[in-house]
Amino acid sequence: MRHGTLFFVVGPSGSGKDSLIDGAKAVLGSTGRYVFARRVITRPAGSAGEDHEATTEEEFARRIALGGFLISWNAHGLRYGIPASLMAALESGQNVIANGSRAVIAELVTRVPRLIVVEVVAPPELLTARIAGRGRETGAAIDKRVARNVAQWPSTVKTVTVRNDATIAAGVERFLAALESSGKTMQLRRIPIFGGRDHCAYLPANSNIVSAFDYLGSAKLEISAGAASIRTRVQIIDLPDVLGPGGIGLSSEAFTELGAPEGSEVTIRRTPSPESRAALTHKIQGGALSEEQYHTLIRDIVESRYPEGEVAAFLVAATQNLSDDEVVALARVRTRFAPRIAWPDKIVVDKHSMGGIPGSRITLIVVPIVAAHGGFLMPKTSSRAITSAAGTADAMETLANVELGPAELRVCLEQARACIAWNGRLNHSVVDDVMNAITRPLGIDSNRWSVASILSKKFTAGSTHVIVDLPFGKRAKLKTEEDALELAALFESVGCGLGLTVQAFATDGSKPIGRGIGPALEVRDVMWALDSHPEAPADLVEKALFFASRILAWDPAIGSVEAGRARAEELLRSGAARSAFDRIIDAQGRRSPPVMPGRLMHTVHADRAGAITEIDGWAITEIARRAGAPLDKAAGVDILRTVGDTVARGEPLFVIHASAQGDLEEAARLAGSSQCYVID
C-alpha cells in the first residue's frame, strides 16, 4: 500500500486557511480519500476560530512526553499540535489536510513519508482587515501578526501557492485545484496499446489515490512529469496485475510524447478549469463573455483541455453570436498568446484583404510603392492559397524566398524597408492552429471571428497602422456593399480597441482583377504594372494606387489622400517602385531563374458573338487549380477578354497554362463543361 500525502496548509494570520480547509472538507470529506486533521490547541473550547480539541498547558506537555503529536509548535501565546494518530491514515494511503505553521516544516519533512506544503497568501491590507474582523485583537497586536517573519523552509520541500484574495468560493476553488494538481501523484506505466493520435490514459479501478470513475466523461486528463505534460482521454481497467492501485498507464504514443521513463512519478489533474467550463457553457447557451472569460477559455482550448466536439460547439455558437465588445475582447486575448515584434519606427504599416477575388495581386505593387517612399516600415506577411489559385506568398515565391524567420525578416527590413513574406513562420498563431483544425473540415466560418484573428496577428507583428480591403460581390465572402461597410466599421473599432489605426474600405469584388490567375501569371501582371508596360491591367493598377495613396497619407509629410495619390503615381511612373521591389527580392533571396507561366497551353474560345456581361471568376479559379495551381506556380489562366468587351464567335477568351500534359487536359475538360463567361 502506498502512503498518502500530508498537505500542510500554512500562511500568515488572516490569509483564510480555516475557510479554505472548511470549503475543501465540504467537497472532499465524503470521498474517503482525505482526512482533515483536528488540531489540539491550548485555547478554551467554544472560542472563536476553528473547531479544535481544547486542552490545558499541563495536558499538552504530557502528550508531548508520550509522543502524542506528529508535530507541535508555539504561536501567539498558544500551543498547537497535530495528533500522531494521523500517521495511521497516511500509512493506509489516505491524504491528510492539516492547518500548520511555517516554522516546523523543516522538522516535519523528516517525520512523514510524503509532505506537500500549501502556502496560502493574501495582500497585507487584506490580512489586516480579516484579523480585525475576527474581533480577537486590535491595533498593535494585529500589526505584529501581519509583520511576523518566519524563516523559509527547505527549498527541497514541494510547495504550492494559493492566492486567497477574492471571494471564499474563488479561494476554495483554487485550493481544491492545488490539492488535485499536486497531490495526485502516480507511477507511470506504458500500456502496449496503439491509438495513433487518440491518446489515452488508463486509471486503475481500485486506486487508493484517485476515485478513477470520477474522471470518466468528455473532459481530458492532464498528466505532468516535471516540465513535460500531455492531455489525454481516460479509460479505467480492473486488472491489478497490469496496473497497480498507484499506477497510471499511457497508450504507446502518449507515453512516447510525454517522454518520461517508466516508473516516473507523475501528477494528474482534471481539465479544463471550472472557470472556463462555465464560460464555454454560457457561450454555447448564447451568452456574452468578458475578456478574462475568453482568456481562460481560449487558454484551455489551446492547451487541449477540451474534446473537439465541445470546441466545435463553442465555435459554432461564437460564429453565430459575437457582439462588437466580444470581438474586441477576443482580439485582445489572442494577442496574449504570441510575443509582439518590436520595430524601431514610429509608424509600421500593413495591408490585409479578405480575399477570395481571383487575381487582385495588388500587394506586390503596393508594398514596393510604400518601400520606395521610405516614410515607414512595411513588414508584409501574407498567406498561401487555401481554396484560390494563388495566395500572395505563392505569387511572391515565384521571384524570391518567402520563408523568412524573425532574424531574416529584420535583415530584410534593414536593407529594403519592406518585405512580402509567408506568415507561417512569422505570424504563427497557436490559437489558429487549434481552431482551424476544427473549423475548416466543418466549414465553420465567421467574418466577425476573422476580424479578431486578423487584427491580433497584425498587432503581434508590430504594426501600428493597417489598411483593409473588403471586396463584395455575389461570389465573394461579403455579398453586398452593406455587408462590407458594416465589417469595415467593425475592423476600425476593434483596431481602436487594440491601439491600432485601421482604415477599411469596401471594394468591387464582382469580377477578377487583372489578367492572370495563378502565381506566375499574376506576377507577370505585377511586373507589367511596375514597369508601366502598355499591357498592365488598368483595374489592377488603379486598385493598387487606391490603397497605396491611403497608406502614404499616414505620413505627416504627405498629409492627404490626394497628395498620397500623386506621390504613389510618381513612384510608379519613375521606376522607383520597381527598384524598391528588386531590393526586396534581393533582400529576401532572389529566385533564379524566376518561375514563368507554363509552356503547355490551351485556348478557350467564345461559343457565340456578343458583349461579355459577366465572368465567373471562381469557375476560372477552379480551372486554374485543375491545371496545377497553386502548387505548380507556372500553372494558371490568362484572361484575354473581360467584362464589357465585345467578342466574335470563335474569338479567344482565355488561355490555360500548365506544366504537365495531364493537368492541361483535365483543366481543358473542365473549361469545356463550365459556363465561365456570360455573353449577351
Side-chain angles (χ1 to χ4, degrees), residues 340 345-350 458 462-466 499-502:
R340 191 180 194 197
D345 289 53
K346 187 175 181 180
I347 297 179
V348 180
V349 302
D350 205 342
K458 300 301 183 188
S463 300
T464 62
H465 293 62
V466 181
L500 302 176
T501 297
V502 177

Side-chain angles (χ1 to χ4, degrees), residues 334-522:
R334 291 175 63 100
T335 65
R336 303 181 191 179
F337 290 88
R340 191 180 194 197
I341 300 174
W343 299 106
D345 289 53
K346 187 175 181 180
I347 297 179
V348 180
V349 302
D350 205 342
K351 171 197 163 290
H352 182 81
S353 173
M354 289 298 278
I357 307 304
S360 196
R361 203 53 56 212
I362 66 168
T363 295
L364 273 66
I365 304 172
V366 172
V367 173
I369 290 174
V370 173
H373 173 64
F376 23 63
L377 291 181
M378 191 168 186
K380 179 73 183 83
T381 56
S382 303
S383 62
R384 296 189 186 278
I386 298 173
T387 58
S388 65
T392 297
D394 299 311
M396 184 65 177
E397 200 168 29
T398 67
L399 301 171
N401 172 38
V402 297
E403 297 195 8
L404 305 182
E408 297 166 306
L409 179 73
R410 288 190 180 277
V411 170
C412 184
L413 268 290
E414 289 171 2
Q415 295 177 357
R417 301 288 296 169
C419 71
I420 304 170
W422 176 48
N423 60 19
R425 291 187 63 190
L426 297 166
N427 281 46
H428 179 259
S429 168
V430 292
V431 179
D432 283 340
D433 284 348
V434 175
M435 303 302 185
N436 291 345
I438 296 171
T439 57
R440 284 175 180 167
L442 295 178
I444 300 172
D445 192 14
S446 167
N447 290 326
R448 297 179 72 79
W449 181 279
S450 295
V451 170
S453 172
I454 292 162
L455 291 183
S456 66
K457 285 191 280 191
K458 300 301 183 188
F459 178 89
T460 57
S463 300
T464 62
H465 293 62
V466 181
I467 199 159
V468 183
D469 176 18
L470 300 174
F472 65 90
K474 68 179 184 180
R475 295 293 300 274
K477 285 185 178 181
L478 303 168
K479 303 306 178 187
T480 67
E481 185 174 13
E482 183 181 359
D483 293 337
L485 291 172
E486 180 181 335
L487 199 64
L490 182 62
F491 261 109
E492 292 175 0
S493 65
V494 173
C496 183
L498 288 176
L500 302 176
T501 297
V502 177
Q503 290 184 4
F505 298 92
T507 61
D508 180 13
S510 62
K511 63 182 186 300
I513 303 292
R515 278 181 48 179
I517 311 295
L521 287 161
E522 293 178 22

